[in-house]
Amino acid sequence: MLNTLRKIVQEVNAAKDLKTALGIIVQRVRAAMGTQVCSVYLLDPESQRFVLMATEGLNKRAIGKVSMAPNEGLVGLVGTREEPLNLEHASEHPRYRYFAETGEERYASFLGAPIIHHRRVMGVLVVQQKERRQFDEGEEAFLVTMSAQLAGVIAHAEATGSIRGLGRQGKGIQEAKFVGVPGSPGAAVGTAVVVLPPADLDVVPDKQVDDVDAELKLFSDALESVRDDMRSLSQKMAAQLRPEERALFDVYLMMLEDAALGNEVVKVIRTGQWAQGALRQVVKEHVNRFELMDDAYLRERASDVRDLGRRLLAYLQKAHKQALVYPDNCILVSEELSPSMLGEVPEGKLVGLVSVQGSGNSHVAIFARAMGIPTVMGVVDLPYSKVDGIQLIVDGYHGEVYTNPSEIMRKQYAEVVEEERQLARGLDALRALPCETPDGHRMPLWVNTGLLADVRRAQERGAEGVGLYRTEVPFMGKERFPSEKEQLAIYREQLEAFHPLPVTMRSLDIGGDKALSYFPIKEENPFLGWRGIRVTLDHPEIFLVQARAMLKASEGLNNLRILLPMISGIQELEEALHLIHRAWGEVRDEGTDVPLPPIGVMIEVPAAVYQIHELARQVDFLSVGSNDLTQYLLAVDRNNPRVADLYDFLHPAVLQALCKIVEGGHAEGKPVTICGEMAGDPACALLLMAMGFDGLSMNATNLPKVKWLLRQVSMEKAKELLAQAMSIDNPQVIRSTLQLALRKLGLERIINPASDIQG
């Protein structure tokens, strides 16, 4: 059955449209299960009726004509109950309904399975048989599995407009929503430009050649052409990215060197294989090796190798990819966006990005945030290859993509985009003003940084310091661990840029979904594995070099604060403190006179919440990592679009934990700040202020909105809202309560422009 299922799925995925796909399913399922009938009924979103859309065994003239409401017939029962129905004699069931036009009176046995996509019932898959019999468990499981596969096919058809009122003409294209992971905040309305591979390595055949020298020359020319492309792209993006960030292009260039990928291809060509076949062989070997490593960062390396291979092949085939036409308001869509793709869009035309794969922490998401481009990552169900040229809406706030949006929805989001533009202009006036409530409560607003562009944006928006500098970002842009001297230069640049304001540098936080290509970590469950402080304590040589570089970089500036990530117990903290003191002693012995900076612990593991008093006693400050704390408290992978709805920092457990952290830190006389997405959500910022947090650190893009809102609402009102929120046991109700309260104050629409849009 498994083999049969795999073959059906492959055939269905290759179908040119929905009608063909449904036809394949009813034919193949009927044959696989040995039944007389297999039919598919789809729920028409307009009439809310289940319509017969494909059948093998019933009268085909009934297709598109026979339909039933959810409260009618056995099909309606399966759809409303959202579970399979297995009947030995269907006509004896009280919900049985007879349709003369289908000719189904001859069939006794009935097995139906609901077709459900992201909790939405889309239809019902049915098999019927003349003989009275109960379908066995294996057959039922097969049909349920088949219906789950069918759900994705129908969702894709919705996206590409192949469902037009379920077969009835003149209904117009249905709009569809696809859920991914927020990559960069903001909203965009525009035209999809799909970036497909310029050449398909998988279809290149083997071919023996006599003139090896000619093939070597072809390959050499292709190498030089791609090198030129990489250099010009790097130059093109020079103004937007710092040298360390542009180093990704240098990584590409290094791969093309004679000692790397280029040399391996040359060796294969010398055996008599033509250049294209040699390239395919070498690239596939590299890609397979990376993909087998099961590691998020290394999978990105695989996509880099694949991207290079395609570029080289395009030149080898002398079929240079035709220049894409980039319309105004261009939304770039790809299975795997690469940083180089961003650089190819003419300046001023790129308004949004959509990537089928990748997470909020991938290179492209980091670049997009630095450039202020609304982005949605991990849209796994989007049939990306079929959306070229259609209208799209990218909602980077909620991680949603709308295909074929209605005129009304386009207008609503266009208003959001315009409001954002106006708001940004209006908020510029707040830059020099303090973040202070009407009743005089002062709330410092800091920024999270990692890229050069973050520094510029933070300064433009009046940040009062850096609450989180992600030191792993410059590490990720290299092919080896940066030396102490290299790190010193990077850290000095950050400290000088914000001096005399404080800069909180987190020690190297790799692992989970942030691996280094030169330091692979392969684990079954990386988020619960070797990450953060666990890695650097196991490698004191890495920790000491970084600590020394930070300390030396702060000489004469004295605005450094060091933050330790992923601390889950006192022993880890004591070990880390010992290493920092050791590095401080070494630096002073070498003649660099710097005071020991304030040292803090990042509270992001539930274990740390319950040891808050003990941890606070040993450090100078506490900083909550809201993204990971929420992830670990709720056992939800924050980068997984499948469970995105469950990841909510307004969950009562998260709010209770945050109150406990603030109370514990303050009881020991230590300041408590918070960084992450929660601090940058203006409505949540009100609750955090009411809890007593001493500072909020966020993405620079969100800082003006948070400042604007906190200047409108008194501390007294914020505490009322917090008390109300803490009495509610449902995160959705808490969010609605907050939005309602802000709406009554006339504030909600401004701080969340997309809030009124119903997708």
Side-chain angles (χ1 to χ4, degrees):
M1 277 293 191
L2 186 62
N3 197 34
T4 304
L5 180 69
R6 192 179 293 118
K7 285 180 180 172
I8 295 174
V9 170
Q10 284 173 344
E11 224 180 319
V12 166
N13 287 339
K16 69 178 189 295
D17 55 28
L18 181 68
K19 186 179 176 185
T20 309
L22 296 181
I24 291 165
I25 284 170
V26 293
Q27 284 173 27
R28 300 291 181 265
V29 171
R30 186 178 81 150
M33 296 184 68
T35 59
Q36 277 95 33
V37 176
C38 179
S39 309
V40 174
Y41 296 80
L42 295 187
L43 184 63
D44 184 335
E46 292 180 15
S47 68
Q48 284 299 303
R49 293 178 69 83
F50 289 98
V51 183
L52 178 65
M53 289 299 291
T55 185
E56 198 65 32
L58 299 182
N59 187 339
K60 289 191 187 292
R61 279 180 294 193
I63 291 173
K65 294 174 185 169
V66 169
S67 71
M68 60 200 81
N71 62 353
E72 291 179 324
L74 298 175
V75 168
L77 183 63
V78 173
T80 51
R81 283 175 50 180
E82 300 184 8
E83 61 181 352
L85 183 62
N86 189 348
L87 300 174
E88 189 175 343
H89 205 304
S91 62
E92 292 176 1
H93 194 281
R95 282 287 295 268
Y96 176 76
R97 189 177 167 201
Y98 168 62
F99 294 93
E101 55 266 59
T102 64
E104 68 175 321
E105 74 277 1
R106 302 193 311 277
Y107 305 107
S109 312
F110 174 98
L111 174 61
I115 301 164
I116 299 173
H117 187 76
H118 290 322
R119 299 191 180 190
R120 182 160 65 99
V121 175
M122 308 188 81
V124 177
L125 178 60
V126 174
V127 291
Q128 294 167 277
Q129 199 155 336
K130 288 178 186 175
E131 299 79 30
R132 289 182 61 159
R133 78 175 184 92
Q134 193 89 19
F135 289 96
D136 65 35
E137 284 183 7
E139 290 170 315
E140 189 173 314
F142 177 80
L143 200 71
V144 167
T145 310
M146 196 67 244
S147 70
Q149 296 288 340
L150 183 54
V153 172
I154 296 166
H156 286 191
E158 277 189 344
T160 53
S162 359
I163 297 180
R164 295 169 181 263
L166 292 182
R168 296 194 295 285
Q169 296 304 310
K171 293 278 180 158
I173 294 174
Q174 301 292 324
E175 68 188 34
K177 177 173 90 172
F178 294 87
V179 179
V181 175
S184 176
V189 182
T191 306
V193 172
V194 176
V195 184
L196 290 169
D200 190 354
L201 280 163
D202 293 334
V203 298
V204 173
D206 286 324
K207 189 172 164 185
Q208 291 296 307
V209 290
D210 296 322
D211 194 347
V212 169
D213 288 339
E215 292 301 309
L216 289 171
K217 175 75 167 63
L218 277 174
F219 181 64
S220 174
D221 290 346
L223 271 178
E224 200 45 54
S225 297
V226 175
R227 283 191 193 114
D228 288 344
D229 287 351
M230 289 297 114
R231 290 187 195 107
S232 62
L233 281 171
S234 180
Q235 286 297 317
K236 194 174 179 182
M237 298 183 81
Q240 293 166 296
L241 303 172
R242 107 170 46 215
E244 284 84 354
E245 293 149 22
R246 283 166 55 207
L248 187 63
F249 296 102
D250 296 332
V251 172
Y252 276 34
L253 289 167
M254 282 170 65
M255 286 182 188
L256 297 170
E257 290 303 330
D258 291 338
L261 191 135
N263 190 41
E264 290 182 44
V265 176
V266 167
K267 282 180 184 171
V268 178
I269 293 172
R270 291 195 191 281
T271 66
Q273 174 73 283
W274 69 322
Q276 293 182 38
L279 177 68
R280 183 211 68 228
Q281 185 179 319
V282 171
V283 168
K284 284 191 84 172
E285 282 170 4
H286 278 272
V287 166
N288 289 343
R289 271 204 296 275
F290 282 130
E291 288 182 338
L292 284 171
M293 288 176 180
D294 246 356
D295 179 271
Y297 189 80
L298 292 176
R299 278 200 297 275
E300 286 178 19
R301 297 274 69 76
S303 69
D304 290 344
V305 174
R306 203 182 289 113
D307 184 34
L308 276 182
R310 289 164 181 162
R311 289 171 182 275
L312 285 164
L313 183 61
Y315 280 104
L316 283 174
Q317 292 173 333
K318 295 183 179 174
H320 298 261
K321 59 181 178 188
Q322 295 176 344
L324 282 169
V325 177
Y326 294 101
D328 291 336
N329 298 323
C330 159
I331 294 173
L332 215 55
V333 181
S334 184
E335 183 178 23
E336 273 187 300
L337 283 170
S338 69
S340 60
M341 290 175 186
L342 275 62
E344 288 174 356
V345 183
E347 202 169 336
K349 292 199 169 189
L350 185 62
V351 297
L353 297 170
V354 178
S355 185
V356 174
Q357 296 183 14
S359 73
N361 288 314
S362 61
H363 278 141
V364 172
I366 292 168
F367 280 14
R369 285 196 290 273
M371 296 163 75
I373 301 168
T375 302
V376 179
M377 307 291 291
V379 197
V380 291
D381 292 318
L382 183 74
Y384 74 99
S385 61
K386 297 177 182 175
V387 300
D388 193 55
I390 72 168
Q391 284 285 296
L392 284 190
I393 289 171
V394 174
D395 185 337
Y397 299 109
H398 306 106
E400 295 168 350
V401 177
Y402 295 89
T403 54
N404 297 312
S406 64
E407 187 59 43
I408 294 169
M409 184 168 265
R410 278 206 299 271
K411 190 165 178 287
Q412 285 177 320
Y413 268 98
E415 286 170 5
V416 169
V417 172
E418 183 52 36
E419 276 183 38
E420 284 282 86
R421 205 174 283 132
Q422 301 280 359
L423 183 61
R425 277 203 286 269
L427 293 177
D428 281 345
L430 293 178
R431 180 180 168 184
L433 297 174
C435 181
E436 191 173 297
T437 64
D439 53 355
H441 181 80
R442 184 82 170 78
M443 174 55 78
L445 299 186
W446 296 357
V447 288
N448 305 330
T449 65
L451 299 169
L452 178 65
D454 291 331
V455 176
R456 195 162 53 245
R457 291 164 77 85
Q459 290 168 338
E460 286 168 2
R461 285 159 177 75
E464 299 171 63
V466 176
L468 173 66
Y469 171 62
R470 301 181 178 95
T471 61
E472 64 275 5
V473 175
F475 277 71
M476 288 165 75
K478 295 190 174 291
E479 286 299 293
R480 54 168 175 74
F481 282 109
S483 67
E484 184 178 318
K485 194 175 177 183
E486 287 171 322
Q487 290 185 54
L488 191 158
I490 294 166
Y491 304 152
R492 183 78 181 179
E493 183 181 31
Q494 278 284 323
L495 293 165
E496 283 180 337
F498 287 94
H499 185 265
L501 301 171
V503 175
T504 311
M505 295 194 169
R506 180 174 66 188
S507 66
L508 187 63
D509 186 14
I510 56 171
D513 56 358
K514 294 177 291 187
L516 305 176
S517 59
Y518 47 88
F519 191 71
I521 301 172
K522 184 186 177 185
E523 292 179 309
E524 287 292 322
N525 197 338
F527 283 102
L528 297 180
W530 202 44
R531 61 171 301 202
I533 202 72
R534 299 168 182 177
V535 176
T536 49
L537 288 181
D538 284 350
H539 281 275
E541 76 281 10
I542 296 171
F543 191 99
L544 285 165
V545 166
Q546 182 171 41
R548 286 164 52 87
M550 286 179 182
L551 292 165
K552 286 181 179 179
S554 71
E555 187 179 15
L557 299 174
N558 301 330
N559 59 336
L560 169 68
R561 291 161 27 114
I562 296 176
L563 184 60
L564 304 168
M566 229 13 219
I567 295 285
S568 60
I570 295 297
Q571 186 181 343
E572 287 173 334
L573 175 55
E574 288 175 344
E575 285 182 46
L577 289 172
H578 170 72
L579 288 174
I580 292 172
H581 279 88
R582 182 177 148 190
W584 184 48
E586 290 172 0
V587 164
R588 294 176 78 199
D589 287 345
E590 290 172 20
T592 305
D593 186 23
V594 290
L596 185 68
I599 299 167
V601 164
M602 206 162 186
I603 308 297
E604 50 191 340
V605 179
V609 178
Y610 292 100
Q611 299 173 86
I612 200 69
H613 290 274
E614 294 82 359
L615 292 169
R617 284 183 204 125
Q618 300 220 34
V619 292
D620 301 298
F621 67 95
L622 300 172
S623 179
V624 175
S626 65
N627 296 355
D628 268 333
L629 182 62
T630 303
Q631 168 171 260
Y632 290 128
L633 278 172
L634 303 182
V636 173
D637 176 359
R638 61 191 168 98
N639 291 319
N640 185 345
R642 299 287 189 206
V643 289
D645 290 347
L646 300 174
Y647 180 86
D648 194 332
F649 32 64
L650 286 178
H651 192 287
V654 177
L655 297 182
Q656 288 170 35
L658 291 172
C659 287
K660 183 178 173 64
I661 293 164
V662 175
E663 287 164 13
H666 287 175
E668 301 301 329
K670 302 297 164 64
V672 186
T673 59
I674 182 167
C675 56
E677 298 306 310
M678 186 176 187
D681 181 309
C684 291
L686 278 176
L687 299 186
L688 297 171
M689 179 176 74
M691 286 177 191
F693 276 94
D694 300 295
L696 309 178
S697 188
M698 64 205 70
N699 189 307
T701 306
N702 291 358
L703 192 145
K705 287 187 194 176
V706 172
K707 182 189 278 192
W708 182 87
L709 184 65
L710 296 187
R711 285 175 58 87
Q712 310 296 315
V713 182
S714 69
M715 184 62 158
E716 185 185 2
K717 182 64 183 175
K719 285 185 174 177
E720 273 178 40
L721 285 172
L722 176 63
Q724 202 177 351
M726 297 303 286
S727 68
I728 301 169
D729 61 6
N730 182 304
Q732 283 81 28
V733 178
I734 293 173
R735 192 172 294 280
S736 301
T737 304
L738 274 177
Q739 288 176 347
L740 182 62
L742 293 172
R743 185 170 283 149
K744 283 178 180 172
L745 295 170
L747 307 172
E748 193 267 353
R749 184 80 173 103
I750 297 173
I751 60 126
N752 186 5
S755 62
D756 285 344
I757 297 175
Q758 297 300 313

